[in-house]
């Protein structure tokens, strides 16, 4: 394949894009879902915590550029200004357009003014937001706490729906896999529980869905360091107030040995379910309609209709 199947950066990017043939190149799966909702007149925010991601990139002019937030919150711009009028002066300078102004200069100024405006809105909105639940102080816990505060600020921001992307590392367990997994899953359990409890306390749990993705699974056969190495097909989870949980969706391999029909050796399994089949029901739950699906997942026509799971199988609320 064109994709380097066992490389972290390649597989992470593919899970964020869900466009292997690059038919919607430069966009990501969540960005294209946001496109579909924006076309219907909804105001959709896209936010990444701590880092940039192609997942949230939609069509330019249709979905706004994603805003990257710190897990610690939004800092006030120029908190120690050298003059009281500095912000007004910056706005005046960058709003001034003359006949000889260059297009790139105008674009730069427009972007700066918008960024300062968004920063002020988020700073003013989030400064008074508090959670009812105490979140873990871990990297994942702090990110989910920021997402909870952003969801609580949706009315002030005029948002009908929001897409969030966050990530956490440490899963490349080439050694001591059992000890590492115990530590990592304890944090995942505590962080997700705090987030779910907070959403329930705020009365919005039925309108929230969390989906977990990864670059790839790990080998079922251990290496010499009591660890596991890069594999391919794995298990992923989705949960939320409207999710019909407690079930495995897709086809689980009935032979995990090296002689199995889906085995690549050492417990590396060829996936049975595509990312398209995972995200399309989520898009429908979010408000996308049948006419939007081919734009959201341009690769869907390469699978038979039987490959996909109906949204009503996964969600209580459609």
């Amino acid at each position: 394949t064109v994709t380097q199947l066992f490389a972290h950066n390649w597989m992470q990017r593919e899970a964020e894009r869900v466009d292997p043939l690059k038919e919607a190149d430069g966009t990501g799966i969540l960005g294209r879902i946001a496109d579909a909702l924006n076309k219907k007149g909804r105001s959709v925010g896209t936010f990444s915590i701590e880092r940039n991601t192609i997942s949230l990139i939609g069509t330019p002019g249709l979905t706004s550029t994603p805003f990257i937030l710190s897990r610690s919150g939004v800092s006030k711009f120029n908190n120690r200004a050298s003059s009281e009028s500095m912000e007004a002066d910056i706005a005046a300078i960058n709003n001034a357009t003359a006949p000889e102004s260059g297009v790139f200069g105008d674009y730069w100024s427009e972007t700066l003014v918008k960024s300062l405006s968004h920063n002020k809105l988020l700073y003013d909105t989030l400064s008074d937001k508090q959670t009812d639940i105490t979140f873990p102080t871990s990297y994942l816990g702090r990110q989910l706490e920021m997402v909870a505060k952003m969801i609580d600020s949706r009315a002030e921001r005029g948002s009908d729906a929001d897409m969030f992307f966050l990530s956490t590392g440490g899963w490349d367990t080439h050694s001591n896999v059992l000890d590492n997994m115990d530590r990592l899953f304890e944090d995942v359990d505590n962080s997700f529980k705090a987030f779910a409890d907070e959403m329930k306390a705020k009365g919005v749990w039925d309108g929230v869905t969390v989906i977990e993705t990864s670059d790839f699974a790990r080998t079922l056969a251990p290496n010499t360091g009591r660890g596991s190495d890069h594999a391919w097909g794995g298990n992923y989870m989705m949960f939320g107030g409207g999710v019909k949980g407690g079930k495995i969706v897709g086809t689980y391999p009935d032979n995990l040995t090296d002689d199995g029909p889906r085995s690549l050796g050492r417990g590396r399994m060829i996936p049975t379910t595509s990312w398209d089949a995972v995200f399309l029901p989520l898009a429908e739950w979010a408000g996308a309609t049948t006419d939007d699906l081919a734009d959201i997942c341009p690769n869907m026509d390469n699978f038979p209709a039987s490959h996909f799971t109906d949204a009503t199988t996964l969600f209580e609320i459609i």
Side-chain angles (χ1 to χ4, degrees), residues 194-216:
F195 179 73
D197 288 346
E198 177 67 17
M199 294 298 95
K200 294 171 184 175
K202 290 296 197 296
V204 296
W205 182 230
D206 286 346
V208 174
T209 296
V210 178
I211 182 169
E212 172 262 338
T213 69
S214 181
D215 37 18
F216 39 63

Side-chain angles (χ1 to χ4, degrees), residues 36-94:
L37 302 186
N38 280 319
K39 287 179 182 177
K40 301 179 189 311
R42 301 179 69 182
S43 175
V44 182
T46 51
F47 302 90
S48 178
I49 312 298
E50 295 292 346
R51 74 175 182 88
N52 193 18
T53 171
I54 194 171
S55 177
L56 293 168
I57 302 294
T59 303
L62 184 57
T63 294
S64 300
T65 302
F67 201 99
I68 302 176
L69 298 170
S70 166
R71 65 187 184 279
S72 301
V74 177
S75 299
K76 184 178 182 180
F77 172 72
N78 204 16
N79 197 34
R80 298 182 178 180
S82 57
S83 73
E84 293 183 0
S85 64
M86 181 169 286
E87 290 190 26
D89 292 341
I90 291 173
I93 291 171
N94 285 279

Side-chain angles (χ1 to χ4, degrees), residues 256-291:
L256 299 178
T257 70
D258 285 353
D259 296 327
R262 307 200 72 85
S263 175
L264 298 173
R266 288 197 62 210
R268 291 186 174 101
M269 295 293 156
I270 299 172
T272 60
T273 303
S274 68
W275 284 125
D276 309 72
V278 173
F279 278 100
L280 282 180
L282 179 64
E284 292 185 88
W285 170 82
T289 55
T290 303
D291 293 341

Side-chain angles (χ1 to χ4, degrees), residues 113-297:
V113 171
K114 283 183 178 179
S115 296
L116 295 179
S117 174
H118 291 162
N119 177 270
K120 186 177 188 307
L121 173 62
L122 289 176
Y123 177 80
D124 292 344
T125 300
L126 292 174
S127 58
D128 295 328
K129 293 297 179 184
Q130 300 293 329
T131 60
D132 295 335
I133 304 299
T134 300
F135 280 71
T137 58
S138 64
Y139 186 71
L140 177 60
R142 294 292 300 279
Q143 290 182 82
L144 286 166
E145 183 178 13
M146 176 50 58
V147 171
K149 290 179 179 178
M150 286 297 296
I151 292 174
D152 195 28
S153 74
R154 65 197 182 284
E156 293 92 327
R157 293 183 288 107
S159 177
D160 297 317
D162 290 313
M163 309 280 180
F164 297 95
F165 179 93
L166 53 150
S167 60
T168 187
W171 303 90
D172 197 19
T173 51
H174 288 288
S175 62
N176 300 319
V177 61
L178 293 180
D179 292 340
N180 282 315
M181 293 297 276
D182 285 344
R183 172 180 53 83
L184 290 164
F185 275 126
E186 181 180 12
D187 179 36
V188 168
D189 286 346
N190 293 337
S191 298
F192 281 166
K193 183 180 187 305
F195 179 73
D197 288 346
E198 177 67 17
M199 294 298 95
K200 294 171 184 175
K202 290 296 197 296
V204 296
W205 182 230
D206 286 346
V208 174
T209 296
V210 178
I211 182 169
E212 172 262 338
T213 69
S214 181
D215 37 18
F216 39 63
R218 313 297 297 189
T219 56
L220 299 179
N223 59 27
T224 57
R226 296 192 303 162
S228 60
D229 299 319
H230 299 180
W232 191 3
N235 304 309
Y236 303 94
M237 59 185 172
M238 180 168 65
F239 61 92
V243 176
K244 295 179 180 179
K247 65 180 68 176
I248 294 175
V249 179
T251 304
Y252 197 82
D254 56 7
N255 187 342
L256 299 178
T257 70
D258 285 353
D259 296 327
R262 307 200 72 85
S263 175
L264 298 173
R266 288 197 62 210
R268 291 186 174 101
M269 295 293 156
I270 299 172
T272 60
T273 303
S274 68
W275 284 125
D276 309 72
V278 173
F279 278 100
L280 282 180
L282 179 64
E284 292 185 88
W285 170 82
T289 55
T290 303
D291 293 341
D292 302 315
L293 301 185
D295 291 329
I296 293 171
C297 287

Side-chain angles (χ1 to χ4, degrees), residues 297-310:
C297 287
N299 194 47
M300 64 178 293
D301 288 341
N302 288 314
F303 299 96
S306 59
H307 177 74
F308 299 99
T309 302
D310 191 271

